[in-house]
Amino acid sequence: MYGKKYDANTFFFLLGGVLGSDWITPEAVTGQFAAEWDYDVYTLSERLQVHGFAPDFSLPNQLYTIGTDVTVDKAGMVAVAKGWPVLQRSVEELSSENVFYQQVVLDWLKVEGVSAPESGLLTIFRVDLEGDGVDEIFINAVHLDESQHTTKTGDYSIVLMRKVAGNDAVTVPVVADVYRSQEAQITFPKTYSTTNFIDLNQDGVLEIVVGIEKWEGDGAVVYQVNGQEVVECLRLE
């Protein structure tokens, strides 16, 4: 589950679950949470517990929400059934003024065909995703106007992974929206942000949790990394 605070209370969106090595949909897992339940909640820096009510299905949004009686407002709240073993590793946030990683973003955009990319708002994390002693770098880069309505060429919202492959460092997109219209268009763009790194399926490799913000909506995606391949496991928006 992925948590957000709305008005006076914290709610969680039911993303899905894990059965063996398979990721399963919210519809498949909701029956196991038909009553009130206690949940362990993990952020990048702490763990807490909340008591959740029975899932409520929102017909207009086609999603399950689980309400609580707490007002916790922390970034990247990922909740699992109380006692479900998960793994996290130390995460370091690097300076957004890091010139090297700013250039990584610009170089990647040029490869994608953006002729004169402009630097946007960066958030950079360092974490050992695979537990092999070699860190990966995750770069959130956003260049959008404040309206949450329109985009034009040169606008983007991306999450890039920088990792070692053999003797080289490669840049792999986790999720990327790059806009190319010369004139401003109403697109209601999504803003992506890496909000958590957590092993949910007990394979020893941390999944990447990416939060989504958009006009009158929120969501989250869970990605799994296999070498240089990024696989979407769960999505809700």
Side-chain angles (χ1 to χ4, degrees):
M1 304 190 304
Y2 188 74
K4 297 282 287 187
K5 179 180 174 294
Y6 293 98
D7 297 326
N9 293 100
T10 301
F11 290 83
F12 288 84
F13 304 112
L14 184 57
L15 286 167
V18 175
L19 182 62
S21 60
D22 297 326
W23 298 93
I24 55 179
T25 64
E27 292 76 16
V29 74
T30 186
Q32 300 184 41
F33 300 95
E36 297 185 12
W37 206 268
D38 289 330
Y39 297 96
D40 294 325
V41 180
Y42 297 85
T43 70
L44 280 177
S45 60
E46 60 185 309
R47 171 184 172 183
L48 55 145
Q49 289 187 347
V50 300
H51 182 78
F53 307 132
D56 180 39
F57 183 69
S58 171
L59 189 60
N61 298 318
Q62 293 292 299
L63 54 80
Y64 292 92
T65 60
I66 295 175
T68 73
D69 58 1
V70 299
T71 53
V72 181
D73 189 14
K74 298 181 182 296
M77 293 186 290
V78 176
V80 299
K82 182 179 178 181
W84 178 262
V86 303
L87 173 67
Q88 290 181 300
R89 298 189 179 98
S90 176
V91 179
E92 179 185 3
E93 184 171 356
L94 306 182
S95 170
S96 61
E97 302 300 319
N98 188 300
V99 176
F100 178 80
Y101 292 118
Q102 289 177 352
Q103 192 61 49
V104 166
V105 171
L106 297 178
D107 289 345
W108 185 86
L109 289 166
K110 289 176 184 177
V111 171
E112 291 299 301
V114 181
S115 58
E118 298 181 9
S119 294
L121 178 65
L122 263 62
T123 308
I124 309 168
F125 296 104
R126 188 206 318 264
V127 58
D128 182 359
L129 210 67
E130 299 156 320
D132 58 0
V134 180
D135 291 335
E136 283 75 38
I137 301 293
F138 290 86
I139 311 167
N140 307 332
V142 179
H143 185 280
L144 297 170
D145 67 31
E146 297 180 355
S147 72
Q148 294 186 314
H149 285 68
T150 62
T151 56
K152 60 183 184 301
T153 187
D155 287 341
Y156 56 84
S157 180
I158 58 180
V159 176
L160 302 179
M161 174 177 64
R162 185 83 171 167
K163 71 173 300 181
V164 174
N167 296 322
D168 299 315
V170 297
T171 303
V172 179
V174 177
V175 59
D177 289 346
V178 179
Y179 298 93
R180 306 177 188 279
S181 172
Q182 293 298 323
E183 301 295 329
Q185 290 187 333
I186 297 177
T187 58
F188 299 106
K190 301 170 186 175
T191 299
Y192 302 110
S193 58
T194 308
T195 59
N196 213 324
F197 302 92
I198 184 168
D199 180 15
L200 297 169
N201 63 352
Q202 303 173 9
D203 68 350
V205 179
L206 307 185
E207 278 76 57
I208 309 158
V209 182
V210 174
I212 301 173
E213 293 185 2
K214 57 184 180 179
W215 176 252
E216 295 188 342
D218 295 290
V221 191
V222 176
Y223 293 99
Q224 187 172 7
V225 173
N226 302 319
Q228 296 183 50
E229 181 184 17
V230 178
V231 179
E232 181 182 305
C233 304
L234 303 171
R235 173 183 284 268
L236 185 67
E237 60 175 298

